[in-house]
Amino acid sequence: MKKFNNIMVIGGGGYVGAVLVPKLLQEGYRVKVYDLFIYGEGVFNSVKDDPNLTLTKGDVRDIDLLEKEVKGVDAIIHLACISNDPSFELNPELGKSINYDSFEPMVKAAKAAGVKRFIYASSSSVYGVKEVDNVTEDMELDPLTDYSKFKMMCEEILLRYADDDFVGLILRPATVCGYSPRQRMDLIVNILTNHAVNRGRIIVNGGSQKRPNIHIEDITDLYIKSLEYEDAQINRKIFNAGYENFPVSELASQVKEIVGSGVEIVTEPTNDPRSYHISSEKIRAELDFTPRHTIEDAVRDIKDAIEEGMLDDPMDNPMYFNIKRMKEIQLQ
Protein backbone atom coordinates (compact mmCIF):
# COMPACT_ATOMS: atom_id res chain seq x y z
CA MET A 1 0.00 0.00 0.00
CA LYS A 2 1.29 3.46 -0.93
CA LYS A 3 2.32 5.58 2.06
CA PHE A 4 3.91 8.38 0.05
CA ASN A 5 3.28 10.36 -3.11
CA ASN A 6 6.47 12.23 -3.93
CA ILE A 7 9.65 10.20 -4.30
CA MET A 8 13.12 11.56 -5.01
CA VAL A 9 15.66 9.16 -6.48
CA ILE A 10 19.13 10.62 -5.99
CA GLY A 11 21.42 9.11 -8.60
CA GLY A 12 18.34 7.86 -10.44
CA GLY A 13 19.92 8.21 -13.89
CA GLY A 14 22.24 5.25 -13.35
CA TYR A 15 22.11 1.50 -13.94
CA VAL A 16 19.62 0.69 -11.17
CA GLY A 17 17.66 3.94 -11.38
CA ALA A 18 16.92 3.48 -15.08
CA VAL A 19 14.94 0.33 -14.20
CA LEU A 20 13.55 1.61 -10.88
CA VAL A 21 12.11 4.94 -12.01
CA PRO A 22 9.69 3.55 -14.65
CA LYS A 23 8.49 1.02 -12.06
CA LEU A 24 7.82 3.80 -9.54
CA LEU A 25 5.83 5.73 -12.15
CA GLN A 26 3.87 2.60 -12.97
CA GLU A 27 2.99 2.30 -9.27
CA GLY A 28 1.53 5.82 -9.38
CA TYR A 29 4.27 7.75 -7.60
CA ARG A 30 5.37 11.25 -8.57
CA VAL A 31 9.10 10.86 -9.15
CA LYS A 32 11.90 13.41 -9.16
CA VAL A 33 15.25 12.14 -10.45
CA TYR A 34 18.23 14.12 -9.19
CA ASP A 35 21.34 13.20 -11.16
CA LEU A 36 24.24 14.55 -13.21
CA PHE A 37 23.01 12.43 -16.15
CA ILE A 38 26.53 11.68 -17.36
CA TYR A 39 25.00 8.70 -19.19
CA GLY A 40 22.35 10.91 -20.79
CA GLU A 41 18.66 11.51 -20.14
CA GLY A 42 17.81 9.06 -22.92
CA VAL A 43 17.71 6.26 -20.35
CA PHE A 44 14.17 7.50 -19.60
CA ASN A 45 12.95 7.68 -23.20
CA SER A 46 10.22 5.16 -22.43
CA VAL A 47 8.69 7.42 -19.75
CA LYS A 48 9.94 10.90 -20.70
CA ASP A 49 6.41 12.17 -21.40
CA ASP A 50 4.98 10.96 -18.09
CA PRO A 51 3.63 14.03 -16.26
CA ASN A 52 4.65 12.49 -12.93
CA LEU A 53 8.35 12.47 -13.87
CA THR A 54 10.70 15.38 -13.17
CA LEU A 55 14.37 15.26 -14.15
CA THR A 56 16.64 17.62 -12.23
CA LYS A 57 20.25 17.88 -13.34
CA GLY A 58 22.22 18.35 -10.16
CA ASP A 59 25.33 17.32 -8.27
CA VAL A 60 24.99 15.73 -4.83
CA ARG A 61 27.70 18.16 -3.69
CA ASP A 62 25.45 21.14 -4.56
CA ILE A 63 23.68 21.34 -1.21
CA ASP A 64 21.94 24.65 -2.04
CA LEU A 65 20.24 23.04 -5.03
CA LEU A 66 19.47 19.88 -3.07
CA GLU A 67 17.85 21.88 -0.27
CA LYS A 68 15.60 23.53 -2.86
CA GLU A 69 14.75 20.32 -4.71
CA VAL A 70 14.01 18.23 -1.63
CA LYS A 71 11.11 20.45 -0.55
CA GLY A 72 7.81 18.59 -0.79
CA VAL A 73 9.52 15.19 -1.09
CA ASP A 74 8.07 12.40 1.06
CA ALA A 75 10.77 9.74 0.62
CA ILE A 76 14.27 9.53 -0.82
CA ILE A 77 15.96 6.53 -2.41
CA HIS A 78 19.66 7.34 -2.44
CA LEU A 79 21.59 5.52 -5.19
CA ALA A 80 24.19 8.14 -6.11
CA CYS A 81 27.85 7.26 -5.82
CA ILE A 82 31.06 6.70 -7.70
CA SER A 83 30.28 3.05 -8.00
CA ASN A 84 32.68 0.19 -7.21
CA ASP A 85 36.34 0.11 -6.25
CA PRO A 86 38.09 0.66 -9.63
CA SER A 87 35.91 3.69 -10.47
CA PHE A 88 36.53 5.13 -7.01
CA GLU A 89 40.28 4.60 -7.20
CA LEU A 90 40.43 6.46 -10.53
CA ASN A 91 40.09 9.68 -8.50
CA PRO A 92 39.88 9.02 -4.75
CA GLU A 93 39.36 12.70 -3.93
CA LEU A 94 36.38 12.90 -6.28
CA GLY A 95 35.02 9.62 -4.90
CA LYS A 96 35.23 10.86 -1.32
CA SER A 97 33.54 14.16 -2.15
CA ILE A 98 30.59 12.42 -3.84
CA ASN A 99 30.28 9.24 -1.79
CA TYR A 100 30.98 10.62 1.67
CA ASP A 101 31.44 14.38 2.07
CA SER A 102 28.07 15.18 0.49
CA PHE A 103 26.14 12.60 2.51
CA GLU A 104 25.66 14.21 5.92
CA PRO A 105 24.62 17.61 4.47
CA MET A 106 22.15 15.76 2.26
CA VAL A 107 20.67 13.79 5.17
CA LYS A 108 20.37 16.99 7.22
CA ALA A 109 18.67 18.78 4.33
CA ALA A 110 16.23 15.91 3.86
CA LYS A 111 15.34 15.79 7.53
CA ALA A 112 14.94 19.57 7.75
CA ALA A 113 12.61 19.51 4.73
CA GLY A 114 10.31 16.99 6.39
CA VAL A 115 11.24 13.93 4.34
CA LYS A 116 9.67 10.96 6.11
CA ARG A 117 11.79 8.08 4.80
CA PHE A 118 15.40 7.80 3.60
CA ILE A 119 16.49 4.55 1.92
CA TYR A 120 20.25 4.22 1.48
CA ALA A 121 21.94 1.89 -0.98
CA SER A 122 25.07 0.74 0.84
CA SER A 123 27.06 -2.30 -0.31
CA SER A 124 27.78 -5.85 0.80
CA SER A 125 31.47 -5.01 0.30
CA VAL A 126 31.48 -3.35 3.76
CA TYR A 127 32.13 -6.79 5.31
CA GLY A 128 35.47 -7.26 3.60
CA VAL A 129 36.51 -10.89 3.29
CA LYS A 130 34.98 -13.39 5.73
CA GLU A 131 35.85 -17.06 6.03
CA VAL A 132 32.40 -18.11 7.26
CA ASP A 133 29.82 -19.46 4.83
CA ASN A 134 27.06 -17.03 5.77
CA VAL A 135 27.93 -13.39 6.32
CA THR A 136 25.12 -11.85 8.37
CA GLU A 137 24.26 -8.25 9.21
CA ASP A 138 25.48 -8.50 12.81
CA MET A 139 29.06 -9.35 11.82
CA GLU A 140 31.90 -6.91 12.27
CA LEU A 141 32.56 -4.72 9.27
CA ASP A 142 36.03 -4.79 7.76
CA PRO A 143 35.98 -2.65 4.60
CA LEU A 144 39.10 -3.20 2.50
CA THR A 145 38.87 -0.15 0.27
CA ASP A 146 37.94 3.53 0.56
CA TYR A 147 34.80 2.85 -1.48
CA SER A 148 33.47 0.35 1.08
CA LYS A 149 34.84 2.32 4.05
CA PHE A 150 32.83 5.38 3.05
CA LYS A 151 29.74 3.23 2.50
CA MET A 152 30.12 2.06 6.11
CA MET A 153 30.60 5.62 7.38
CA CYS A 154 27.48 6.82 5.56
CA GLU A 155 25.49 4.05 7.22
CA GLU A 156 26.64 5.40 10.59
CA ILE A 157 25.54 8.92 9.64
CA LEU A 158 22.04 7.82 8.62
CA LEU A 159 21.60 5.78 11.79
CA ARG A 160 22.57 8.84 13.81
CA TYR A 161 19.91 11.06 12.22
CA ALA A 162 17.08 8.54 11.92
CA ASP A 163 14.19 8.85 14.38
CA ASP A 164 10.44 8.21 14.55
CA ASP A 165 9.72 11.01 12.07
CA PHE A 166 12.70 10.41 9.79
CA VAL A 167 12.82 6.69 9.05
CA GLY A 168 16.19 5.42 7.84
CA LEU A 169 16.70 2.07 6.08
CA ILE A 170 20.07 0.67 4.98
CA LEU A 171 20.25 -1.97 2.28
CA ARG A 172 23.49 -3.79 1.45
CA PRO A 173 22.94 -5.13 -2.06
CA ALA A 174 25.02 -7.85 -3.65
CA THR A 175 26.45 -7.15 -7.11
CA VAL A 176 23.60 -6.32 -9.45
CA CYS A 177 23.25 -8.06 -12.81
CA GLY A 178 20.94 -7.96 -15.80
CA TYR A 179 19.74 -5.55 -18.49
CA SER A 180 19.03 -1.85 -17.97
CA PRO A 181 18.41 1.06 -20.35
CA ARG A 182 21.58 2.48 -18.74
CA GLN A 183 23.55 -0.70 -19.19
CA ARG A 184 26.70 -1.55 -17.27
CA MET A 185 29.16 -4.05 -18.72
CA ASP A 186 31.66 -3.78 -15.87
CA LEU A 187 29.85 -6.08 -13.42
CA ILE A 188 30.80 -9.75 -13.16
CA VAL A 189 27.79 -11.53 -14.71
CA ASN A 190 27.38 -8.82 -17.35
CA ILE A 191 31.11 -8.95 -18.21
CA LEU A 192 31.09 -12.71 -18.66
CA THR A 193 27.95 -12.61 -20.80
CA ASN A 194 29.26 -9.78 -22.98
CA HIS A 195 32.51 -11.65 -23.69
CA ALA A 196 30.71 -14.95 -24.30
CA VAL A 197 28.31 -13.45 -26.85
CA ASN A 198 30.75 -11.14 -28.63
CA ARG A 199 34.03 -13.07 -28.41
CA GLY A 200 32.99 -16.64 -27.76
CA ARG A 201 35.58 -16.71 -24.99
CA ILE A 202 35.44 -16.08 -21.24
CA ILE A 203 38.56 -15.51 -19.16
CA VAL A 204 38.14 -16.54 -15.52
CA ASN A 205 40.77 -15.21 -13.13
CA GLY A 206 41.02 -17.76 -10.35
CA GLY A 207 37.50 -19.10 -10.23
CA SER A 208 36.93 -20.36 -6.70
CA GLN A 209 36.13 -16.89 -5.32
CA LYS A 210 32.46 -16.46 -4.51
CA ARG A 211 30.51 -13.45 -5.72
CA PRO A 212 27.01 -12.65 -4.44
CA ASN A 213 24.61 -11.38 -7.09
CA ILE A 214 21.09 -10.04 -7.33
CA HIS A 215 19.06 -9.45 -10.49
CA ILE A 216 18.28 -5.81 -11.30
CA GLU A 217 14.55 -6.59 -11.42
CA ASP A 218 14.69 -7.91 -7.85
CA ILE A 219 16.71 -5.07 -6.33
CA THR A 220 14.41 -2.49 -7.93
CA ASP A 221 11.36 -4.37 -6.65
CA LEU A 222 12.92 -4.23 -3.20
CA TYR A 223 13.35 -0.45 -3.33
CA ILE A 224 9.65 -0.13 -4.17
CA LYS A 225 8.67 -2.46 -1.32
CA SER A 226 10.90 -0.36 0.95
CA LEU A 227 8.44 2.51 0.47
CA GLU A 228 5.56 0.29 1.62
CA TYR A 229 6.85 -1.37 4.80
CA GLU A 230 5.68 -0.10 8.18
CA ASP A 231 8.12 2.23 9.92
CA ALA A 232 8.83 -0.22 12.74
CA GLN A 233 9.79 -2.97 10.29
CA ILE A 234 12.65 -1.02 8.78
CA ASN A 235 13.60 2.03 10.86
CA ARG A 236 17.32 2.11 11.71
CA LYS A 237 17.65 -1.43 10.36
CA ILE A 238 20.18 -2.96 8.00
CA PHE A 239 19.51 -5.76 5.53
CA ASN A 240 21.68 -7.69 3.11
CA ALA A 241 20.03 -8.01 -0.28
CA GLY A 242 21.39 -10.84 -2.38
CA TYR A 243 20.30 -14.10 -3.89
CA GLU A 244 22.91 -16.50 -5.19
CA ASN A 245 26.52 -16.80 -3.97
CA PHE A 246 28.30 -18.63 -6.78
CA PRO A 247 32.03 -19.09 -7.42
CA VAL A 248 33.17 -17.16 -10.50
CA SER A 249 33.87 -20.48 -12.28
CA GLU A 250 30.22 -21.48 -11.75
CA LEU A 251 29.03 -18.12 -13.07
CA ALA A 252 31.10 -18.72 -16.21
CA SER A 253 29.58 -22.20 -16.62
CA GLN A 254 26.06 -20.79 -16.32
CA VAL A 255 26.86 -18.16 -18.95
CA LYS A 256 28.20 -20.85 -21.29
CA GLU A 257 25.05 -22.92 -20.73
CA ILE A 258 22.84 -20.03 -21.90
CA VAL A 259 25.01 -18.52 -24.63
CA GLY A 260 26.06 -21.79 -26.25
CA SER A 261 28.39 -24.77 -26.00
CA GLY A 262 30.86 -23.16 -28.43
CA VAL A 263 31.91 -20.66 -25.76
CA GLU A 264 35.44 -21.31 -24.49
CA ILE A 265 36.23 -20.83 -20.81
CA VAL A 266 39.89 -20.02 -20.11
CA THR A 267 41.03 -20.10 -16.48
CA GLU A 268 44.01 -17.99 -15.50
CA PRO A 269 45.71 -17.55 -12.11
CA THR A 270 44.84 -14.53 -9.98
CA ASN A 271 46.58 -12.64 -7.21
CA ASP A 272 43.19 -11.50 -5.91
CA PRO A 273 41.62 -14.42 -4.04
CA ARG A 274 38.99 -12.23 -2.29
CA SER A 275 35.75 -14.13 -1.85
CA TYR A 276 32.49 -12.44 -0.94
CA HIS A 277 29.33 -14.20 0.13
CA ILE A 278 26.38 -12.90 2.11
CA SER A 279 23.33 -14.31 3.85
CA SER A 280 19.98 -12.81 2.87
CA GLU A 281 18.04 -14.79 5.45
CA LYS A 282 17.21 -11.76 7.63
CA ILE A 283 15.44 -9.85 4.84
CA ARG A 284 13.49 -12.97 3.92
CA ALA A 285 12.42 -13.61 7.49
CA GLU A 286 11.67 -10.04 8.58
CA LEU A 287 10.49 -8.38 5.37
CA ASP A 288 9.27 -11.42 3.44
CA PHE A 289 11.52 -10.53 0.53
CA THR A 290 12.77 -13.34 -1.69
CA PRO A 291 14.32 -12.64 -5.12
CA ARG A 292 12.53 -14.27 -8.04
CA HIS A 293 15.07 -13.82 -10.84
CA THR A 294 18.15 -15.97 -11.39
CA ILE A 295 21.64 -15.50 -12.80
CA GLU A 296 20.42 -17.35 -15.89
CA ASP A 297 17.65 -14.77 -16.32
CA ALA A 298 20.22 -11.97 -16.23
CA VAL A 299 22.45 -13.72 -18.77
CA ARG A 300 19.49 -14.36 -21.07
CA ASP A 301 18.35 -10.72 -20.84
CA ILE A 302 21.78 -9.34 -21.76
CA LYS A 303 22.30 -11.93 -24.51
CA ASP A 304 18.94 -10.97 -26.04
CA ALA A 305 19.69 -7.23 -25.75
CA ILE A 306 23.00 -7.67 -27.58
CA GLU A 307 21.55 -9.93 -30.28
CA GLU A 308 18.56 -7.63 -30.83
CA GLY A 309 20.81 -4.60 -31.31
CA MET A 310 19.62 -2.81 -28.18
CA LEU A 311 23.23 -2.12 -27.11
CA ASP A 312 25.58 -0.08 -29.28
CA ASP A 313 29.12 -1.52 -29.42
CA PRO A 314 28.81 -3.32 -26.06
CA MET A 315 32.48 -4.32 -25.88
CA ASP A 316 33.90 -0.80 -26.11
CA ASN A 317 31.23 1.88 -25.71
CA PRO A 318 32.27 4.09 -22.75
CA MET A 319 28.60 4.52 -21.84
CA TYR A 320 28.61 0.93 -20.53
CA PHE A 321 31.82 1.21 -18.50
CA ASN A 322 31.98 3.60 -15.54
CA ILE A 323 35.75 4.15 -15.66
CA LYS A 324 35.82 4.77 -19.41
CA ARG A 325 32.96 7.27 -19.18
CA MET A 326 34.46 9.13 -16.20
CA LYS A 327 37.76 9.44 -18.08
CA GLU A 328 35.96 10.55 -21.26
CA ILE A 329 34.15 13.46 -19.59
CA GLN A 330 36.94 14.13 -17.06
CA LEU A 331 34.46 14.19 -14.18
CA GLN A 332 35.65 16.49 -11.41
Side-chain angles (χ1 to χ4, degrees):
M1 183 186 297
K2 274 177 65 184
K3 297 178 176 298
F4 310 110
N5 292 312
N6 300 300
I7 312 301
M8 186 176 195
V9 186
I10 299 176
Y15 177 53
V16 171
V19 175
L20 172 62
V21 168
K23 286 186 178 183
L24 288 167
L25 293 167
Q26 197 171 2
E27 292 291 322
Y29 292 104
R30 287 195 289 272
V31 184
K32 178 183 289 186
V33 177
Y34 186 97
D35 199 290
L36 278 173
F37 296 109
I38 65 174
Y39 301 94
E41 295 180 13
V43 298
F44 295 122
N45 279 347
S46 67
V47 291
K48 66 182 180 192
D49 297 324
D50 193 310
N52 286 327
L53 175 64
T54 304
L55 303 182
T56 299
K57 186 169 184 176
D59 192 312
V60 290
R61 297 167 292 182
D62 186 347
I63 297 303
D64 290 340
L65 180 59
L66 257 173
E67 285 176 345
K68 178 166 147 286
E69 293 296 329
V70 81
K71 286 174 180 159
V73 168
D74 299 319
I76 288 174
I77 300 172
H78 183 284
L79 305 175
C81 70
I82 301 296
S83 186
N84 77 20
D85 296 329
S87 301
F88 188 99
E89 286 156 14
L90 186 65
N91 185 339
E93 201 173 297
L94 172 74
K96 180 175 182 286
S97 70
I98 290 176
N99 290 17
Y100 177 67
D101 295 340
S102 67
F103 190 74
E104 186 165 12
M106 182 194 312
V107 170
K108 287 169 74 172
K111 188 168 182 175
V115 171
K116 299 178 184 70
R117 186 166 293 192
F118 194 107
I119 299 157
Y120 177 53
S122 182
S123 167
S124 57
S125 67
V126 294
Y127 296 110
V129 175
K130 304 289 189 199
E131 296 302 323
V132 296
D133 282 338
N134 282 306
V135 177
T136 55
E137 292 84 346
D138 55 0
M139 288 188 175
E140 186 178 351
L141 304 187
D142 185 22
L144 300 175
T145 62
D146 281 346
Y147 167 76
S148 44
K149 180 181 81 175
F150 291 133
K151 284 287 189 186
M152 175 188 75
M153 291 165 71
C154 288
E155 291 184 6
E156 293 166 353
I157 290 169
L158 182 56
L159 292 175
R160 202 160 66 238
Y161 281 89
D163 57 30
D164 290 347
D165 300 314
F166 182 65
V167 170
L169 167 65
I170 294 162
L171 296 173
R172 292 174 178 162
T175 301
V176 184
C177 58
Y179 173 75
S180 165
R182 197 259 107 170
Q183 187 58 43
R184 282 186 65 180
M185 288 301 198
D186 51 4
L187 300 165
I188 184 67
V189 171
N190 302 0
I191 293 169
L192 295 173
T193 306
N194 195 17
H195 281 252
V197 174
N198 284 302
R199 296 209 169 139
R201 189 168 186 261
I202 303 172
I203 295 175
V204 174
N205 294 304
S208 62
Q209 322 94 297
K210 283 187 177 177
R211 292 289 182 269
N213 285 273
I214 187 167
H215 196 289
I216 196 163
E217 294 293 336
D218 287 317
I219 193 65
T220 48
D221 286 348
L222 176 58
Y223 287 124
I224 290 172
K225 286 172 74 80
S226 297
L227 298 169
E228 300 167 358
Y229 293 121
E230 296 299 327
D231 292 352
Q233 288 179 280
I234 62 170
N235 195 17
R236 306 189 83 253
K237 291 191 178 180
I238 299 170
F239 295 94
N240 293 337
Y243 186 20
E244 299 163 302
N245 294 286
F246 285 121
V248 176
S249 57
E250 173 63 19
L251 294 175
S253 296
Q254 291 187 37
V255 169
K256 178 173 179 173
E257 185 78 22
I258 300 293
V259 175
S261 58
V263 173
E264 179 188 11
I265 298 176
V266 178
T267 303
E268 296 184 350
T270 180
N271 56 7
D272 180 9
R274 290 180 297 172
S275 186
Y276 300 101
H277 34 97
I278 57 170
S279 165
S280 298
E281 179 56 31
K282 180 182 175 185
I283 199 168
R284 188 197 65 76
E286 293 189 22
L287 300 183
D288 191 29
F289 177 76
T290 304
R292 296 178 296 117
H293 299 82
T294 63
I295 299 292
E296 286 97 334
D297 292 331
V299 174
R300 208 171 279 112
D301 293 344
I302 294 172
K303 173 180 178 285
D304 291 348
I306 294 171
E307 292 177 346
E308 290 167 21
M310 295 163 65
L311 297 168
D312 176 32
D313 188 18
M315 289 300 294
D316 296 306
N317 190 335
M319 285 298 204
Y320 306 142
F321 300 88
N322 285 5
I323 288 181
K324 287 182 183 178
R325 181 60 176 158
M326 285 167 61
K327 285 181 177 176
E328 186 177 61
I329 63 170
Q330 298 184 318
L331 183 63
Q332 296 297 323

